[in-house]
Amino acid sequence: MSERQLLVAANWKMHKTVADAEGFLGDFLPRIGDDVAAEVVICPPFLALRTAAEHCLRSRVRVAAQNMHFEAEGAFTGEVSARMLREAGVDGVLLGHSERRGHFGETDEALRLKVPAALNARLQPILCVGETEEQRDGGETEAVLSRQLEADLADVADAELAEMVVAYEPIWAIGTGRTASPDQAEDAIGHLRRLVRKRDAEAAERIRIIYGGSVSPENASELLGREEIDGALVGGASLDQASFAEIVMAAS
Ligand code: PGA
């Protein structure tokens, strides 16, 4: 077994008001208790971040945002900076989710600036990478992952790589109910870990590389039981507290 602590993160996307987030956490936190083995992270929409952070203060659950700008401040209408997130009690941030890349024009050039900006502000980046179905069918999965990881982490110092989390999220598995098989997920994660090893052998052993895409209470144990898979990024199945708690327990 690796020494890496499993990480299970809830990506709520554009779901849950402040009141919804309070209701969820009021039920979820007692369900999982204080001695869960996995690290648990909740990623609510911006407006619910502060409330979620306050609710989680006396628990081991941490709160992360779903996006941020790379500048500290400035004329960037509609954007939020790392410093603003820190002040709200947030300690991580999802970066490069395929929905941001696909619907909102998130580029590898921007991610190359966002990842170090997050690390400098002591926000743990959870960088998402993954291929489309067409790219997988065309045998391009490893090339796509290499391109994304190398570009997005180009300006991160080798010594800081271990502080990051990378989420392998094949786009064809997100919200489709079609999970990657444990073998497919392990192969892709193994490839990502080899890319990190080329830069720093110790960081490759320590960095957590998790899987996301239709993770559910039914398939979580099998995925999380695999040596290479250091956790899960959960969308749809994280919106219900009972189902997300089951996934967290599967990691324990
Ligand atoms: P899903 O989403 O679990 O609903 O497939 C995962 C994600 O988009 O992070």
Side-chain angles (χ1 to χ4, degrees):
M1 280 296 279
S2 84
E3 306 270 289
R4 299 180 292 270
Q5 186 188 19
L6 291 179
L7 184 148
V8 181
N11 177 11
W12 285 353
K13 310 191 180 188
M14 197 173 74
H15 293 283
K16 298 198 190 292
T17 63
V18 172
D20 294 339
E22 282 175 333
F24 178 104
L25 290 167
D27 185 78
F28 174 74
L29 295 176
R31 270 177 199 267
I32 62 162
D34 281 335
D35 45 30
V36 279
E39 184 177 341
V40 181
V41 178
I42 307 272
C43 310
F46 283 130
L47 282 174
L49 285 170
R50 181 183 283 279
T51 304
E54 282 166 5
H55 270 69
C56 293
L57 209 56
R58 273 171 296 281
S59 78
R60 294 181 49 227
V61 175
R62 298 185 309 123
V63 173
Q66 299 174 14
N67 183 31
M68 59 161 238
H69 196 274
F70 49 81
E71 292 287 0
E73 60 183 12
F76 301 105
T77 303
E79 293 290 322
V80 168
S81 74
R83 205 172 117 227
M84 296 168 189
L85 295 174
R86 287 290 308 172
E87 190 197 54
V90 170
D91 40 26
V93 60
L94 290 180
L95 291 174
H97 190 281
S98 59
E99 286 153 17
R100 297 242 35 109
R101 292 178 192 256
H103 301 316
F104 304 104
E106 180 82 286
T107 61
D108 288 318
E109 289 69 38
L111 290 164
R112 179 184 182 142
L113 298 169
K114 288 185 179 194
V115 178
L119 286 164
N120 288 341
R122 287 178 296 113
L123 282 179
Q124 180 169 57
I126 303 176
L127 174 72
C128 304
V129 295
E131 81 288 0
T132 61
E133 181 159 35
E134 207 183 358
Q135 288 165 332
R136 174 161 284 268
D137 291 346
E140 294 167 50
T141 299
E142 293 199 349
V144 170
L145 297 179
S146 300
R147 205 157 60 228
Q148 291 178 335
L149 200 79
E150 281 162 12
D152 301 349
L153 301 188
D155 289 340
V156 175
D158 291 350
E160 282 190 308
L161 288 169
E163 311 310 321
M164 307 230 358
V165 175
V166 174
Y168 167 58
E169 293 215 309
I171 295 169
W172 47 271
I174 296 179
T176 58
R178 263 181 74 199
T179 320
S181 70
D183 285 343
Q184 285 173 323
E186 270 204 320
D187 285 349
I189 290 174
H191 174 70
L192 291 165
R193 201 177 301 285
R194 281 192 295 280
L195 294 173
V196 177
R197 192 170 292 124
K198 276 202 231 158
R199 288 189 45 182
D200 189 287
E202 193 200 322
E205 294 316 307
R206 287 180 49 214
I207 190 171
R208 269 125 12 121
I209 311 183
I210 66 178
Y211 166 77
S214 299
V215 175
S216 67
E218 289 71 40
N219 60 33
S221 307
E222 200 189 354
L223 288 160
L224 296 171
R226 290 296 185 103
E227 177 73 20
E228 275 291 343
I229 305 178
D230 298 327
L233 179 54
V234 188
S238 75
L239 295 175
D240 174 76
Q241 49 268 31
S243 117
F244 189 55
E246 264 190 72
I247 296 172
V248 169
M249 294 310 174
S252 297

